[in-house]
Structures are given as C-alpha cells and as structure tokens.
Amino acid sequence: MSILNILRYPDPRLHKVAKPVTVFDEKLKKLVADMAETMYDAPGVGLAASQVDVHEQLVVIDVSETNDQLQVFINPEIIWSSDERKVYDEGCLSVPGIYDDVERPAEVKVRALDADGKPFELHADGLLAVCIQHEMDHLKGKVFVEYLSPLKRNRIKAKLQKEEREMNKKAARR
Ligand code: NI
C-alpha cells in the first residue's frame, strides 16, 4: 500500500468530473487500499478519488472513532434525501485548516457498488450523511468552499495559495 498525494484547493484538477468505474479488478482494489491508507494517515473521515487525481467515481469513508469501519462507495447515487436540512462545520483534506458551515439534507439514501461490484443501499444520517454528500460533490468536481460566499471563498483561495508558495520555496531551498 502507499500514501497518495492529495490535491490542494484551488488545484483545477479538483474540478474534473469523475467517470463511472466499469472494471472491478485488482488495480481497483489497490486504489481502494491506497485511498484508505491515505485517508487514515491524513487523518480524515472521507476521501474521494478526485482528490488523489483519479477521476473515477470512488469514495472511501470511515466515520468510526476506532478507524476500523471502512466503507467503499463506487458509482454512488443519492436515491432519496430528507426535506429536513442540517448545518455542519465541514472540513476537507484538500482545503487544509479551513472549516465552515454547510447546510445539506440531514438524511440520505444511497445506492452504490462495493469493491467487488456488488450493489448495496444505505440509509445515512448524522456525520455519515454529511460525509457521503461531501465526497460525492468531489466526484462532480465540487469542493465544499463553493457553498460559501464568494468573499469567503476568495479569502480561502488566497490563504492556501500563499501557503503553497511558502511550501514550494522551502522545498526549493532543500
Ligand atoms: Ni473533501
């Protein structure tokens, strides 16, 4: 297994739209394992393939305290969402250090395939519902900061671009 490089906002590759997975082979299983390792290492509760520059509809999530309940969603679709909405203070491994309120449906029902290509359905609420919707947005090329006001978004962009320049300078000095 290996740890993959996570793209940082505002990298334009985060806005690519992911294609459905059609081949369920060893290569896909390796990608799932690498994405899980990358998510646990970060650490985070979810990671979409788009964030590691693989533009296929694949998401890994683990919202457990014990980090031992990995959930894999391939070609996920939301087939129902509640009218009730909830606000959650979201963060993202591609937008390090930034947290802000996003309002979404409180509950969703998802249909997806597992790593063997077997279909399943899941009713999610709480953090899992937030996480599924957040990660599925990544597959559509959408990052959570796009729910915020343009003013906030531009501030976040400027902050992360500055950090990126500083990291690059440090790397060049080495
Ligand atoms: Ni994210």
Side-chain angles (χ1 to χ4, degrees):
M1 288 201 290
S2 38
I3 295 187
L4 308 169
N5 180 46
I6 299 175
L7 299 178
R8 287 169 58 105
Y9 184 78
D11 191 308
R13 290 172 290 181
L14 285 169
H15 303 305
K16 284 193 190 177
V17 177
K19 292 197 170 68
V21 171
T22 52
V23 182
F24 293 81
D25 57 1
E26 286 310 306
K27 201 178 146 223
L28 180 72
K29 291 208 171 107
K30 177 163 193 312
L31 176 61
V32 169
D34 287 347
M35 281 176 56
E37 196 184 6
T38 305
M39 172 182 75
Y40 289 127
D41 175 72
V45 292
L47 187 69
S50 318
Q51 293 176 272
V52 294
D53 203 20
V54 176
H55 303 283
E56 291 180 28
Q57 294 176 15
L58 165 57
V59 161
V60 294
I61 291 177
D62 189 342
V63 292
S64 72
E65 297 274 328
T66 42
N67 279 355
D68 58 358
Q69 284 167 51
L70 182 69
Q71 289 178 290
V72 180
F73 298 85
I74 296 174
N75 304 345
E77 285 171 80
I78 290 181
I79 53 175
W80 173 83
S81 49
S82 63
D83 292 333
E84 190 204 342
R85 296 170 71 85
K86 257 193 187 143
V87 174
Y88 193 87
D89 192 31
E90 293 189 23
C92 178
L93 295 177
S94 292
V95 195
I98 307 287
Y99 298 87
D100 216 321
D101 285 351
V102 177
E103 190 190 294
R104 301 181 187 271
E107 293 173 48
V108 289
K109 209 182 260 180
V110 186
R111 183 182 294 150
L113 305 174
D114 68 14
D116 296 310
K118 207 175 119 222
F120 66 95
E121 283 184 12
L122 179 86
H123 186 131
D125 60 8
L127 177 57
L128 182 58
V130 173
C131 204
I132 288 171
Q133 295 176 80
H134 174 119
E135 301 310 331
M136 283 181 67
D137 276 348
H138 276 301
L139 301 180
K140 293 173 209 137
K142 186 165 183 176
V143 180
F144 87 98
V145 296
E146 288 165 65
Y147 289 101
L148 309 178
S149 69
L151 179 69
K152 270 191 182 170
R153 193 161 58 241
N154 286 334
R155 256 191 226 146
I156 291 166
K157 215 181 260 182
K159 181 175 181 281
L160 291 176
Q161 280 168 333
K162 186 166 168 253
E163 279 175 18
E164 181 102 42
R165 279 195 301 273
E166 277 158 14
M167 280 196 303
N168 290 342
K169 252 190 251 164
K170 256 184 224 159
R173 253 185 259 135
R174 249 190 254 127

